[in-house]
Amino acid sequence: MALVTERLHSKRLNKYNINIKTIYKENNKKLERNSDNSYNDNVTNGIILEKDYYQNKKLLLKTYNFDPRLSYSFIFNSIDKIITCPNCGHKDEAKNFNDGCPYCKTYYNMDYSNKDLGVKYHYDQVVNSNLYSKITLLVDIIFCIVIMFFYIKISSRTFNIYDVAKVFIIGGILGVALFYLFYILDAMIVVLPIKIYKERQNKKQMIFWEKMNSLGINKNTFFNNINYELKNYYFDDNVNPNIIDYDVIDYLEFEDKLVNEELYVKVKVSLRLITYVDNKLVVSKKKEIYTFKRNEVVKDKLNKEINIIKCHNCGASIDVTKKICEYCGTTNNYLQEWYLLRNKDDKKDS
């Protein structure tokens, strides 16, 4: 069976003896896949509902709120046909993808759509935010304390230290008691501007991809290349030794730039990182900007003679059959279209 994760990710999970059970939704049916291959359903264009993290069969963490615009498929040898790897373009019989793409070792087939996320998605995003919970609790306690202050001030003939104590004690208890009501009402109020903002973002992305499509750039290839490169980055022992998983929560912005006839795309993403620290899993969220450089893909079959491409890292001319650049040591895949440009302070070049 095809693995859920790539080799680097599997190595990282094995290091900490962690299994990730991912729940997918496909045509209103829930499917399950495990990173330790203990149980795997066939998945075709399924979206992720949740991830459960186990260590030695003990549940450590559950995560939710995945972008429903991203769908995944996993290939099995029961599919008797020629398929094309979405990451590098390699064509082969499906049975040869049983352990991932024979060429670039990619284990997933990812699709990205610009569909409307809907009100429920934004509502779920709001109410499941830890920051939102803390802010709501603080605001409703302050609100109840203020209400109690005016109530006691008006209804009491005196206002002494005992009345002040009652304001804070009763106001605090009332605030906690009404927290759930405030929680739901505030979420409904917050959802509308978020949905408007996200729809505006979505329209900008659609315009961006219309432009990219006119340049002959395939959107799904781009996103598969992004995921492939980010996995290589986040599961690189020399750069991020303690990250055991990551998820792109949202693609926020895309910006293209042409430099010396070479195309670069900056992608701003909202990320969730799962890190192993002191025998526990720590969840953190951050926004990052990554720059991807387009590599001129050799689309024709290789000749008997030497085929030359430029190294995506140093620009040197190299033989496409040599996966490692002899000049800078960078791994090159002549069928891969997009490469991540790493920061100078990274310990390992892309």
Side-chain angles (χ1 to χ4, degrees):
M1 291 185 176
L3 300 176
V4 175
T5 53
E6 298 177 21
R7 296 188 190 282
L8 286 176
H9 195 186
S10 294
K11 180 182 176 183
R12 181 66 53 81
L13 294 174
N14 291 335
K15 176 182 176 181
Y16 297 109
N17 198 24
I18 289 177
N19 171 45
I20 303 175
K21 181 173 76 173
T22 306
I23 307 299
Y24 297 86
K25 181 180 180 182
E26 176 191 321
N27 297 326
N28 295 320
K29 181 172 64 174
K30 288 186 178 181
L31 302 171
E32 173 187 329
R33 290 183 62 81
N34 290 265
S35 61
D36 64 358
N37 291 313
S38 57
Y39 179 83
N40 289 318
D41 286 315
N42 288 6
V43 178
T44 305
N45 294 324
I47 62 173
I48 299 178
L49 294 180
E50 70 175 84
K51 283 186 177 181
D52 303 334
Y53 296 82
Y54 293 86
Q55 185 179 50
N56 300 320
K57 298 184 179 180
K58 178 183 177 182
L59 180 63
L60 300 181
L61 177 71
K62 283 179 175 282
T63 58
Y64 304 92
N65 297 328
F66 296 88
D67 193 336
R69 292 172 296 186
L70 287 169
S71 60
Y72 300 82
S73 298
F74 297 92
I75 302 161
F76 295 86
N77 56 11
S78 59
I79 305 175
D80 186 21
K81 63 178 181 180
I82 300 296
I83 60 176
T84 301
C85 173
N87 179 63
C88 72
H90 177 74
K91 293 184 178 181
D92 209 332
E93 293 181 13
K95 63 182 181 181
N96 294 329
F97 283 77
N98 199 38
D99 193 31
C101 173
Y103 189 88
C104 70
K105 306 306 178 187
T106 299
Y107 293 107
Y108 50 83
N109 184 351
M110 189 167 67
D111 191 10
Y112 183 88
S113 63
N114 288 318
K115 62 188 175 186
D116 178 22
L117 293 178
V119 174
K120 185 180 184 303
Y121 171 78
H122 297 297
Y123 176 82
D124 291 342
Q125 288 281 74
V126 170
V127 299
N128 286 297
S129 167
N130 290 329
L131 179 61
Y132 168 75
S133 301
K134 294 174 183 177
I135 292 175
T136 302
L137 180 59
L138 179 62
V139 169
D140 77 29
I141 289 177
I142 292 174
F143 177 78
C144 289
I145 288 175
V146 171
I147 294 298
M148 286 305 302
F149 170 79
F150 285 106
Y151 174 75
I152 294 176
K153 181 74 173 177
I154 295 171
S155 62
S156 300
R157 287 180 293 179
T158 60
F159 190 79
N160 53 37
I161 187 68
Y162 299 105
D163 294 310
V164 172
K166 283 194 292 184
V167 166
F168 283 96
I169 293 172
I170 298 175
I173 294 173
L174 186 62
V176 173
L178 295 177
F179 171 65
Y180 184 73
L181 177 61
F182 279 96
Y183 191 71
I184 301 299
L185 291 176
D186 289 353
M188 292 179 177
I189 295 171
V190 171
V191 161
L192 183 58
I194 290 179
K195 186 175 187 297
I196 293 172
Y197 169 71
K198 292 293 185 181
E199 286 177 347
R200 193 181 301 123
Q201 274 188 325
N202 217 22
K203 288 179 181 178
K204 287 182 179 179
Q205 291 185 23
M206 292 175 71
I207 294 172
F208 171 83
W209 285 113
E210 285 175 3
K211 178 181 179 181
M212 293 297 102
N213 186 56
S214 68
L215 297 175
I217 295 171
N218 182 276
K219 180 173 60 177
N220 291 343
T221 298
F222 180 80
F223 281 104
N224 275 281
N225 283 189
I226 282 182
N227 201 25
Y228 179 73
E229 287 290 280
L230 290 183
K231 280 183 179 290
N232 286 337
Y233 173 71
Y234 279 110
F235 303 132
D236 183 341
D237 287 336
N238 296 322
V239 181
N240 300 294
N242 298 320
I243 292 177
I244 63 118
D245 198 19
Y246 82 93
D247 293 297
V248 175
I249 300 173
D250 197 1
Y251 290 93
L252 303 174
E253 295 177 11
F254 297 89
E255 179 184 347
D256 62 296
K257 188 175 183 181
L258 198 62
V259 180
N260 297 326
E261 298 185 354
E262 293 183 315
L263 182 61
Y264 296 81
V265 173
K266 283 186 178 181
V267 184
K268 185 177 181 181
V269 299
S270 176
L271 282 170
R272 174 170 52 215
L273 300 176
I274 312 296
T275 309
Y276 193 80
V277 180
D278 298 329
N279 297 318
K280 62 181 181 180
L281 299 183
V282 178
V283 180
S284 60
K285 294 180 181 180
K286 64 177 183 177
K287 294 178 182 178
E288 291 283 358
I289 297 177
Y290 300 102
T291 301
F292 293 87
K293 178 183 177 182
R294 190 186 188 196
N295 187 40
E296 289 299 325
V297 181
V298 179
K299 296 182 178 179
D300 297 328
K301 293 182 179 179
L302 297 178
N303 319 347
K304 293 182 180 179
E305 301 176 359
I306 296 177
N307 291 260
I308 300 297
I309 60 169
K310 287 185 178 181
C311 170
H312 71 87
N313 185 52
C314 71
S317 296
I318 57 174
D319 181 354
V320 297
T321 61
K322 297 179 179 179
K323 296 183 180 181
I324 305 296
C325 175
E326 296 175 345
Y327 299 91
C328 68
T330 300
T331 300
N332 280 268
N333 179 349
Y334 81 94
L335 288 172
Q336 187 171 325
E337 190 171 354
W338 296 92
Y339 284 92
L340 171 66
L341 298 185
R342 296 197 183 185
N343 297 324
K344 293 181 179 179
D345 57 352
D346 287 343
K347 296 180 181 179
K348 183 178 179 181
D349 290 330
S350 170

